[in-house]
Amino acid sequence: MDRIPPQAKGSTPPTATASAQGAVGDSRRQGFVAGVKVGTGLAAAAFVLAVTFGAFARSEGWGVLAPIVCSLVVFSGSAQFALATALAGGGGVPTAVAAAALINGRFIPMGVAVAKDLRGGRIRRALEGQAVVDGSWVAAHLGGGRFDRWKLFGATAVQWPAWVAGTALGVLVAPPESLVESLGLDLVFPAFFLLLLLDELRGSRAARAAAALGACLAAALVLWVPAGLALLGASAAALLGLRKGLVPRDTHDAREAKEASGS
């Protein structure tokens, strides 16, 4: 009978490796499912808003295909409405594109913040970064500048098709442009982000300082520029979060303890 050689000293048993891999897989699935749950609510609101965008774009002579392609590629309600409004107001294509690009400029700091939690080379990280949209980015934030990439993926995975499908429905059916306002659905997105803000304000002095500064900036800018640009300028208050020491100590300690435990 052949003698089974003992395991080399310091080697990891196969069962331990399999268990670790299984735990990682479970964590990923849980994160993705949690993202889908959050994204479902956002997707419902996005669908209705996209219907309005499709109807508005169709009424402005975009045809059938252009609004759908725009939603496929841009996937940003604020930028797409800015683009359509600029064109409807008589602005040229360069002006409309510049307005949309300016609004989407918020994704630059958002992408920088989440970049360290993405995986792979440049191409893969760039592809994973396409999941960075407002609601998904907020939902995936773990605190202390860390993000759950699988929760990010899950939240976006349901929003993108809902946005495209809503645009297609709006283009084909062309309901009244005032649908969202008449049903009060235009308050869904602001209310959602207000709830997120209120939750953040309860646990962070830095968040309260950034919120106060942002409100002051918005109130001042709205006197001189359109509301969309005032809101974009007010987002500069978020730069406070880049200053060292603004992350609450308890959040930092909790994150370190979690990483040390391997959870």
Side-chain angles (χ1 to χ4, degrees):
M1 182 175 180
D2 294 336
R3 183 172 180 270
I4 300 176
Q7 291 183 349
K9 185 177 181 181
S11 63
T12 303
T15 54
T17 302
S19 298
Q21 292 176 346
V24 171
D26 289 342
S27 177
R28 291 174 177 176
R29 283 190 293 272
Q30 291 172 2
F32 189 85
V33 171
V36 169
K37 291 180 179 179
V38 173
T40 299
L42 296 173
F47 179 83
V48 176
L49 192 62
V51 170
T52 304
F53 168 74
F56 177 66
R58 179 69 183 273
S59 69
E60 293 298 324
W62 283 40
V64 175
L65 188 59
I68 299 176
V69 172
C70 185
S71 287
L72 279 167
V73 177
V74 180
F75 184 33
S76 172
S78 55
Q80 290 178 228
F81 274 106
L83 180 68
T85 302
L87 291 175
V93 173
T95 301
V97 172
L102 183 62
I103 290 178
N104 269 2
R106 69 189 186 278
F107 290 122
I108 296 177
M110 290 168 65
V112 170
V114 79
K116 60 182 175 295
D117 291 301
L118 302 180
R119 299 291 183 269
R122 292 183 179 180
I123 295 179
R124 178 179 173 181
R125 292 161 69 88
L127 291 175
E128 291 189 355
Q130 301 308 305
V132 177
V133 294
D134 297 309
S136 302
W137 186 85
V138 174
H141 189 220
L142 299 174
R146 299 295 302 276
F147 293 83
D148 185 333
R149 58 194 283 265
W150 286 100
K151 191 172 185 179
L152 178 75
F153 299 158
T156 301
V158 289
Q159 291 183 74
W160 183 70
W163 180 257
V164 176
T167 301
L169 181 62
V171 169
L172 297 175
V173 178
E177 299 174 13
S178 60
L179 174 66
V180 172
E181 289 82 359
S182 62
L183 296 179
L185 296 176
D186 55 323
L187 298 178
V188 173
F189 273 123
F192 170 77
F193 286 107
L194 178 60
L195 288 175
L196 292 176
L197 175 62
L198 292 176
D199 184 65
E200 188 72 18
L201 292 179
R202 291 187 300 177
S204 172
R205 291 183 178 179
R208 290 192 288 270
L213 179 59
C216 293
L217 287 173
L221 291 173
V222 78
L223 299 175
W224 309 99
V225 298
L229 295 180
L231 182 61
L232 184 64
S235 66
L239 295 176
L240 281 175
L242 298 178
R243 292 183 54 188
K244 183 178 180 180
L246 285 184
V247 178
R249 184 63 190 173
D250 55 347
T251 301
H252 179 73
D253 292 342
R255 177 166 57 87
E256 287 188 342
K258 183 178 179 180
E259 292 175 348
S261 65
S263 58

